[in-house]
Amino acid sequence: MTPTTYKKKVLFDKIYWLLILCFFFLLFAPNLLREGMFVDGIWYATISNNLANGFGSLWKPLFTNTIFPEFYEHPPLVFWIQSLFFKIFGSSFWTERICCISIFILTSSLITKIWKIINTDNPDYKQASYVPISLWMLNFQTFFSYPNNVLECTLTVFTLLAIYFLIKSLSYPKKQSYLFIFLSGIFVFLGAMCKGAVALFPFAFFPLHFLVYRNNFKDIILKTVLITASFSICFLIILQFGEAKAFFVKYIDNQIIKSILGFRVENMRESRFYILNALFKGIPVTLGICILILVAAFYTNKKRWILNRFHNKKSLFYFLLALSGSLPIMISLKQAGYYLVPSTPLFSIALALFISPSFLFLKEQLEKQEKNYKRFLWPVILLLIISIGLAFQNIGTIDKRDRDRINFVNNTKSLIPTNSTINIKSTKFQHSLHAFFKESNL
C-alpha cells in the first residue's frame, strides 16, 4: 500500500466514524438527555439508588417498603454496579444516564475488539470495525434499550467479554487457551448474576464452532466442559453464603419456574414465536443497508456478486451463536423485544462479515477519486451539527410518556416529608409513578 493510498483510507475512515457519531446523537442522545425512562429501567435505577443509600442489601434488594421490600425478580449484580454510580455521582437522573452511556461505550469497545481479533489476518477488514458498530446501533432493540437502563445491556458486556476470551483461546497454545476459557466461564457467571440463565449461551461456542469448522471433537468436548466447570465453581462458591443461597431459591421459584410454566403476567405472549417477530421488527434498517450494499456492489462489479467463502463461514458461525442467545427465549411465553439485546451485537458481526467484501469493494471505488472525500465529508459534518443540535434541544425536557407523572411528583414532593409512605388510590397499578416518587426519596 502506497502512502497516498493509506492516507485516502484514513481520511475516508474518519467519515465513517463521524457517521457513527451522527447515529449516536440522532438515536441515543435524545433519550439520554431528557428526563423519563422505560418503566423497567426506572425501577432498576430506584433499587440501585436505594442500595447506594443503605436501603436494602445485595441479596435483599428493596424497591419500596410496601412494594417489593425484598426484590427477588432478578439477580442483583446490575443493581450493585449501578449503586456504585449513585455513590460516586449522587442521586440524580443524570447518574442513570452516566451509567447507561458507560455501558454503551463498553459494549461498543467490545464489539470493536471482537471484530479486530476475528479479522487479524486481514488489515482492511480489521480497520472496518465501524461496519458492525453501525449495524448494531441502527437496530431498534439497541437504540431503545441502552438509554432505558434495561438489565440486558449490562448482561451484554459480560457475554461479549466471555465470547472475546473464547475467540482468543482459539489462537493460543493449550495452557493459555485453557486460561482464557476459564476466564470466559467467570464472565458467563457474572452475566448470569445480571439476568439469570439467558447468559449461558456462550456455552454453545465450541459445539457451534465444531458444527461450522469440523475441528477436533474431543477438544471441543474438553473445552466445553472447562467453561461449564469454571461457571459451576463460581456458582458453588456463591451458594456457600446463606443469604445468596436463600436468594437463588426464591429467584428460581419466583422467576424461572413460574415463567416457564406461564404463571407470570408481565410480558406474557400468546405465541412462543413472538421473539422471532421482535427479531425481524428490530432489523429493517440494518437489513435494508446490507441489501443496498450487496446490490450496489453487484452492479458496480459488472453484475457479479462479491462474496468471500472464508468470511461466509465466519458469518455463519456468529449468526448461529446469535441464534443460540435468542431461540432459547422461546422456552417461555414471557418474552420482550429487548431480551434480544445480548445477541444483537453477534447478529451485527455476522451481517458485517457477510457484506464486508462488497462494502470494501465499494469503498475502494470511492477512494480512487480524492474529490469524493470532500463530497462526503461536508454533508456528514452538516448532518453531525444538525443531529447534535436536535439532541441538545432535549436538555431540560421530559419524555411525553412520563411527563404527567414526573410533573405530578415534582409538584407534590415538597409537601411530603422524606421517607414517607404514600397511599396512592388508582384503578391501575402505576408502576413508574411509584418509582419516580421513590427516586425523589419519598
Side-chain angles (χ1 to χ4, degrees):
M1 185 186 296
T2 65
T4 306
T5 307
Y6 178 75
K7 183 183 176 183
K8 285 180 183 178
K9 287 182 179 294
V10 171
L11 288 173
F12 272 88
D13 284 351
K14 286 179 180 178
I15 294 177
Y16 302 127
W17 286 113
L18 285 175
L19 267 175
I20 296 282
L21 280 177
C22 293
F23 296 153
F24 176 79
F25 283 106
L26 284 170
L27 299 174
F28 294 81
N31 285 328
L32 288 167
L33 294 173
R34 61 177 168 238
E35 199 170 354
M37 188 179 275
F38 178 59
V39 60
D40 289 31
I42 193 64
W43 271 52
Y44 304 147
T46 301
I47 293 166
S48 304
N49 194 7
N50 287 339
L51 194 56
N53 288 287
F55 300 105
S57 63
L58 178 64
W59 297 111
K60 288 185 179 180
L62 174 145
F63 179 59
T64 77
N65 289 326
T66 54
I67 303 167
F68 288 110
E70 293 181 3
F71 190 84
Y72 297 114
E73 300 296 293
H74 299 292
L77 183 57
V78 175
F79 309 138
W80 180 79
I81 292 171
Q82 199 166 99
S83 73
L84 300 179
F85 283 83
F86 282 107
K87 284 180 180 178
I88 295 166
F89 298 105
S91 298
S92 162
F93 90 92
W94 287 111
T95 301
E96 302 155 13
R97 276 28 182 201
I98 293 167
C99 184
C100 289
I101 198 168
S102 299
I103 296 298
F104 173 84
I105 291 169
L106 272 172
T107 308
S108 305
S109 302
L110 286 166
I111 293 170
T112 302
K113 286 183 78 69
I114 288 172
W115 178 262
K116 287 185 175 181
I117 198 172
I118 62 181
N119 289 296
T120 307
D121 55 336
N122 192 319
D124 288 337
Y125 284 79
K126 189 177 178 179
Q127 291 305 313
S129 56
Y130 41 76
V131 178
I133 293 289
S134 299
L135 298 179
W136 171 67
M137 288 178 70
L138 290 169
N139 189 299
F140 172 77
Q141 306 304 345
T142 303
F143 63 78
F144 167 78
S145 301
Y146 280 82
N148 279 303
N149 196 39
V150 297
L151 301 178
E152 284 76 5
C153 297
T154 308
L155 160 63
T156 303
V157 170
F158 292 114
T159 52
L160 287 179
L161 278 166
I163 289 163
Y164 173 73
F165 282 106
L166 289 174
I167 297 166
K168 278 182 77 76
S169 74
L170 298 172
S171 307
Y172 281 81
K174 280 191 175 181
K175 285 186 179 179
Q176 285 174 286
S177 173
Y178 294 158
L179 174 62
F180 288 138
I181 294 167
F182 194 84
L183 278 172
S184 294
I186 294 172
F187 285 120
V188 172
F189 168 74
L190 293 173
M193 290 294 292
C194 294
K195 192 69 196 288
V198 290
L200 303 183
F201 73 91
F203 288 168
F205 183 92
F206 290 114
L208 291 175
H209 200 269
F210 171 78
L211 188 65
V212 174
Y213 291 100
R214 299 295 176 182
N215 34 16
N216 189 297
F217 184 66
K218 287 183 179 179
D219 194 42
I220 293 300
I221 292 175
L222 176 62
K223 289 177 176 179
T224 304
V225 168
L226 182 58
I227 186 175
T228 308
S230 171
F231 169 86
S232 302
I233 289 166
C234 293
F235 196 63
L236 288 170
I237 290 170
I238 282 291
L239 292 181
Q240 302 310 303
F241 299 90
E243 281 190 331
K245 187 176 181 180
F247 175 91
F248 278 107
V249 167
K250 291 176 182 176
Y251 165 71
I252 290 168
D253 176 60
N254 190 49
Q255 184 66 264
I256 298 177
I257 295 174
K258 288 181 180 177
S259 292
I260 292 171
L261 295 178
F263 294 151
R264 302 289 303 217
V265 293
E266 71 283 4
N267 291 332
M268 295 303 290
R269 310 299 173 182
E270 292 182 1
S271 169
R272 295 185 191 277
F273 294 99
Y274 173 89
I275 203 69
L276 294 180
N277 186 41
L279 176 62
F280 287 110
K281 277 186 175 179
I283 61 169
V285 176
T286 302
L287 206 56
I289 289 171
C290 291
I291 293 169
L292 189 64
I293 288 170
L294 291 170
V295 171
F298 173 75
Y299 281 104
T300 307
N301 193 38
K302 300 176 182 178
K303 295 189 177 181
R304 286 180 294 179
W305 295 109
I306 302 170
L307 300 172
N308 182 308
R309 187 177 295 178
F310 179 64
H311 274 82
N312 289 350
K313 264 196 168 186
K314 281 186 183 179
S315 176
L316 175 62
F317 171 68
Y318 287 99
F319 178 74
L320 292 174
L321 192 58
L323 284 179
S324 75
S326 308
L327 295 185
I329 295 168
M330 295 167 66
I331 292 170
S332 169
L333 285 169
K334 186 175 183 289
Q335 300 179 19
Y338 54 88
Y339 291 2
L340 292 166
V341 167
S343 57
T344 301
L346 299 169
F347 280 120
S348 302
I349 288 169
L351 282 171
L353 285 166
F354 187 72
I355 67 164
S356 282
S358 297
F359 173 81
L360 291 172
F361 171 78
L362 292 172
K363 182 171 176 279
E364 188 180 332
Q365 303 308 306
L366 286 172
E367 288 168 358
K368 284 179 180 178
Q369 297 184 40
E370 199 163 333
K371 62 183 179 181
N372 285 333
Y373 173 68
K374 289 184 179 178
R375 280 182 186 170
F376 284 91
L377 177 64
W378 293 113
V380 170
I381 288 175
L382 180 61
L383 178 62
L384 180 59
I385 292 168
I386 292 169
S387 60
I388 291 171
L390 290 172
F392 276 81
Q393 284 183 348
N394 289 277
I395 294 175
T397 64
I398 302 172
D399 191 297
K400 62 181 180 181
R401 174 188 54 205
D402 299 315
R403 194 172 296 147
D404 291 342
R405 296 183 187 94
I406 291 174
N407 284 333
F408 176 67
V409 171
N410 290 338
N411 291 334
T412 56
K413 66 182 181 182
S414 60
L415 307 173
I416 305 169
T418 303
N419 297 325
S420 299
T421 299
I422 307 169
N423 181 17
I424 299 175
K425 293 184 178 180
S426 174
T427 55
K428 186 179 178 182
F429 185 58
Q430 299 290 327
H431 292 81
S432 54
L433 184 60
H434 290 281
F436 290 128
F437 267 117
K438 185 62 184 173
E439 194 177 39
S440 299
N441 293 320
L442 298 178

